[in-house]
Amino acid sequence: MPFNFDKAIALEDNRVKLSPLIWEHFDEMLPISLKNPALLQYSPSKFGTKESLKAYFQSAFDLKQKQLRYSFAIFDKMKNSYAGSTSFGNISNKDLRIEIGWTWLGKDFQRTGLNRHCKFLLLQYVFEGLMFERVELKTDSRNEQSRKAIEAIGGKYEGELRSHTLMPNGFRRNTVYYSILKDEWNGIKVDKFKNR
C-alpha cells in the first residue's frame, strides 16, 4: 500500500513506542541535545543547543509537509523516557522503496537494545505493512558505530559515494549505502532479531 504522510503512524512493542514527532516532544528531547552536543557529529544537522534542536524539529515538520520525510519520536518504555528520533525518508511509492535514517539516541539509551527494537518495528512496517520491496540505509563512512549497527540488522553494503554531503564545519563526507530487500526480510527477522 502507498505510504501515507497524513496517517498518524504509531509503532510499538514491549520496549519502545514510535509516534509522529510533534512540537510537544521538544521539551522532552532538549535535555538530550544539551547533554550530548556531539551526538550528530556525523550528520549534516547541527545539534547541542536549544536553537539547533528547534531548527531540527522545524526541518522535520517542513519535510513532512513536502512529503519528503516522516519523523518519529522514540519513547523508551523501560526507562519511561523519550530517547531520540528516527525517520522514514526518500520515499518512492512507485518504486516501493524507502529509506530509514536520521536516527539519534541519547548516550544513555545507546547499546541498550533500544535501537534494535526501533529498527525491527520500522522494517516490519515497511515489508509487512506497506509491502515495499527495498529499504535503504546510509551513514558517514567514518561512523563505525552506525555502520556496525546497520550490518548487525542485515544491511548489505552497496558502495560509497565520495564527497557526497557537506557538513556544518565545511568537511565533505563520504556516504556509505546499505540496503535490505523484501525477500531477505523473513531470514533477517529470524536470524538478526530473534533476541531483540
Side-chain angles (χ1 to χ4, degrees):
M1 82 180 151
F3 188 90
N4 183 356
F5 276 86
D6 295 324
K7 183 177 179 182
I9 302 168
L11 307 174
E12 185 172 8
D13 67 9
N14 64 322
R15 174 68 191 277
V16 66
K17 181 173 183 178
L18 304 177
S19 56
L21 188 70
I22 56 175
W23 274 118
E24 283 73 10
H25 295 129
F26 181 84
D27 288 340
E28 300 279 353
M29 295 188 190
L30 182 58
I32 298 171
S33 179
L34 297 177
K35 185 178 177 183
N36 305 272
L39 197 60
L40 300 189
Q41 65 178 319
Y42 295 116
S43 166
S45 298
K46 292 184 178 179
F47 204 69
T49 66
K50 187 173 185 177
E51 294 72 26
S52 63
L53 188 63
K54 273 188 181 174
Y56 185 95
F57 269 63
Q58 189 60 58
S59 175
F61 302 143
D62 292 345
L63 291 169
K64 184 178 182 182
Q65 183 70 30
K66 294 175 184 174
Q67 300 197 348
L68 295 173
R69 195 169 105 204
Y70 192 105
S71 298
F72 295 93
I74 301 170
F75 184 78
D76 186 339
K77 293 181 173 183
M78 185 182 296
K79 295 191 176 190
N80 195 35
S81 177
Y82 282 96
S85 181
T86 192
S87 300
F88 287 132
N90 296 321
I91 300 156
S92 174
N93 286 318
K94 174 182 175 288
D95 299 303
L96 303 178
R97 180 183 72 224
I98 198 166
E99 182 177 343
I100 294 173
W102 303 271
T103 304
W104 52 271
L105 293 172
K107 293 284 187 186
D108 296 341
F109 303 93
Q110 294 178 16
R111 302 176 197 265
T112 66
L114 183 65
N115 188 46
R116 180 171 289 272
H117 281 262
C118 292
K119 291 300 189 290
F120 177 83
L121 290 171
L122 294 167
L123 290 165
Q124 184 179 53
Y125 183 74
V126 170
F127 292 127
E128 299 177 25
L130 298 174
M131 304 300 289
F132 273 24
E133 293 290 332
R134 173 181 167 87
V135 165
E136 298 172 349
L137 307 107
K138 69 177 186 282
T139 191
D140 189 315
S141 64
R142 301 167 297 166
N143 191 343
E144 288 298 327
Q145 183 177 340
S146 179
R147 293 179 72 162
K148 286 177 183 174
I150 292 170
E151 291 163 5
I153 61 165
K156 301 283 192 298
Y157 176 77
E158 292 191 326
E160 184 169 333
L161 300 183
R162 298 176 301 154
S163 190
H164 180 251
T165 301
L166 179 64
M167 304 298 278
N169 64 0
F171 179 81
R172 296 195 60 85
R173 84 174 199 190
N174 294 349
T175 300
V176 288
Y177 272 78
Y178 293 82
S179 69
I180 298 173
L181 304 182
K182 184 180 176 185
D183 63 7
E184 298 166 343
W185 170 238
N186 284 335
I188 285 172
K189 184 162 59 168
V190 171
D191 183 43
K192 303 294 185 181
F193 289 100
K194 60 187 173 190
N195 296 320
R196 68 183 173 90

